[in-house]
Amino acid sequence: MIMTDCASCADERAAGAAFCEACGRSLAPEPACQHCGTPGGVGADGYCRHCGMLAGRERDHLETDCGDVAAAVTDRGLRHHRNEDAMWLATRGRDVDVVVSDGVSSSFDPDVASLTAVSATGTALGDGLDLATAIGSAQIAVAKLAGEGDPRRQASNPACTIVAATVRGDAVTVGWIGDSRAYWVPEEGVAEQLTEDDSWATHVIALGADPEQAMRDPKAHAITAWLGADAGTIAPRTAEFVVGDPGHLVLCSDGLWNYLTDPGAFAAAVREGLREQGTLISAARWLAAYANTAGGADNITVALVPITPAGGEHR
């Protein structure tokens, strides 16, 4: 029998197996390095074993295309060495569950935290749990990470933000912890922010600080609520509404909205992407590219869900 070695753990398994029985990693041929061209040189960590350059990871750019029901894109951006955002998108007919999470870069393994959060929330929603309970399950799952795996997690536990929504016909429920956002973008007019950031700036503005001065402060984007072992007990905030006129529900991380802080500009960008690109997935790609063109300083995730009131249609 011909045998092959797993590149990750060197365990021998029969050739043709899809995954290593010892460590579970894929035994599919590794890609060639885009920098030095070495065939199969890129390891599971995304780095070339020949030249040492970062050749890319699977999560650098991911897309989920659900046709005219919903679409989502997540992208590493231009300045981060990995994508610490994660997304979940599931549809059942016209019903939609969508989750976006942004890993807290100052924590250890934030990419693991965000992926854990969206997976726990999405799975819970698929099991029929309400949105607040589903986000609560993500809180528990992310908090557990501090006691698992790399011991460095105990010193700086994995953490992330989350925003999620369920769409049932023309009824929408949104829930969140942190500063990832949900917007309602009507066919005309400015965007409505459906979430309120859990951030330092939002807190001091509520206490009477000048909004422009608060947003210029270096602490403006410091979050005051998150998912993680050190986050304490915090209930996700939720909001519900019934759509009265056609429009689009948009969920995104701050990698996009930081470049479109004005509600009018945000709405105009979404509508331009939809108009110029023609499909939801192309519009989501266009918005991610917009953020990269503007600087790409952070990871970018955006999800688009068109919603029409009962008996209505998109123009």
Side-chain angles (χ1 to χ4, degrees), residues 16-111:
F19 296 93
C20 174
E21 295 180 14
C23 70
R25 289 192 180 275
S26 172
L27 294 177
E30 293 169 341
C33 175
Q34 65 190 40
H35 299 286
C36 69
T38 301
V42 182
D45 60 358
Y47 287 87
C48 176
R49 290 187 288 268
H50 180 72
C51 70
M53 295 291 288
L54 177 62
R57 300 183 176 95
E58 182 182 5
R59 283 178 65 179
D60 282 356
H61 184 92
L62 295 172
E63 301 181 353
T64 301
D65 183 3
C66 298
D68 64 350
V69 178
V73 168
T74 184
D75 189 86
R76 179 171 61 90
L78 302 179
R79 302 188 190 179
H80 279 230
H81 74 285
R82 64 185 173 191
N83 190 357
E84 296 167 357
D85 281 6
M87 64 184 186
W88 178 285
L89 178 60
T91 61
R92 293 173 292 279
R94 304 299 301 188
D95 290 351
V96 180
D97 297 334
V98 56
V99 191
V100 169
S101 180
D102 182 355
V104 177
S105 294
S106 59
S107 70
F108 191 80
D109 281 348
D111 55 326

Side-chain angles (χ1 to χ4, degrees), residues 2 6 23-24 29 40 57-58 123 152 169 239 254 274 276 290 302:
I2 299 174
C6 172
C23 70
R57 300 183 176 95
E58 182 182 5
T123 299
R152 287 174 289 183
D254 60 354
L274 291 165
E276 296 295 329
Y290 178 99
V302 57

Side-chain angles (χ1 to χ4, degrees), residues 7-304:
S8 299
C9 69
D11 190 75
E12 289 189 348
R13 288 294 181 266
F19 296 93
C20 174
E21 295 180 14
C23 70
R25 289 192 180 275
S26 172
L27 294 177
E30 293 169 341
C33 175
Q34 65 190 40
H35 299 286
C36 69
T38 301
V42 182
D45 60 358
Y47 287 87
C48 176
R49 290 187 288 268
H50 180 72
C51 70
M53 295 291 288
L54 177 62
R57 300 183 176 95
E58 182 182 5
R59 283 178 65 179
D60 282 356
H61 184 92
L62 295 172
E63 301 181 353
T64 301
D65 183 3
C66 298
D68 64 350
V69 178
V73 168
T74 184
D75 189 86
R76 179 171 61 90
L78 302 179
R79 302 188 190 179
H80 279 230
H81 74 285
R82 64 185 173 191
N83 190 357
E84 296 167 357
D85 281 6
M87 64 184 186
W88 178 285
L89 178 60
T91 61
R92 293 173 292 279
R94 304 299 301 188
D95 290 351
V96 180
D97 297 334
V98 56
V99 191
V100 169
S101 180
D102 182 355
V104 177
S105 294
S106 59
S107 70
F108 191 80
D109 281 348
D111 55 326
V112 179
S114 62
L115 186 59
T116 298
V118 300
S119 297
T121 305
T123 299
L125 291 173
D127 290 340
L129 299 182
D130 64 85
L131 189 53
T133 303
I135 294 176
S137 70
Q139 288 178 295
I140 295 170
V142 174
K144 285 182 178 179
L145 293 174
E148 303 171 351
D150 196 306
R152 287 174 289 183
R153 291 180 180 177
Q154 298 177 21
S156 179
N157 60 262
C160 60
T161 68
I162 192 168
V163 61
T166 60
V167 179
R168 305 291 184 262
D170 55 5
V172 180
T173 303
V174 176
W176 72 97
I177 295 176
D179 64 351
S180 292
R181 292 181 176 179
Y183 290 88
W184 175 248
V185 178
E187 294 190 338
E188 297 178 354
V190 302
E192 178 185 356
Q193 185 179 330
L194 303 175
T195 55
E196 181 182 61
D197 297 345
D198 293 311
S199 69
W200 179 89
T202 300
H203 178 69
V204 298
I205 290 171
L207 294 176
D210 176 74
E212 291 187 8
Q213 184 175 350
M215 292 305 298
R216 288 195 299 268
D217 192 284
K219 301 185 295 294
H221 292 290
I223 57 175
T224 57
W226 59 91
L227 304 183
D230 63 351
T233 302
I234 181 169
R237 288 188 282 174
T238 60
E240 300 179 4
F241 69 101
V242 175
V243 172
D245 295 297
H248 286 78
L249 176 68
V250 184
L251 271 63
C252 63
S253 61
D254 60 354
L256 175 63
W257 67 254
N258 266 334
Y259 294 112
L260 294 164
T261 55
D262 178 75
F266 189 96
V270 170
R271 286 195 286 262
E272 182 177 354
L274 291 165
R275 181 178 63 253
E276 296 295 329
Q277 301 302 310
T279 64
L280 291 175
I281 190 62
S282 296
R285 290 186 198 121
W286 187 91
L287 288 165
Y290 178 99
N292 277 324
T293 300
D298 203 350
N299 309 140
I300 307 148
T301 303
V302 57
L304 301 171

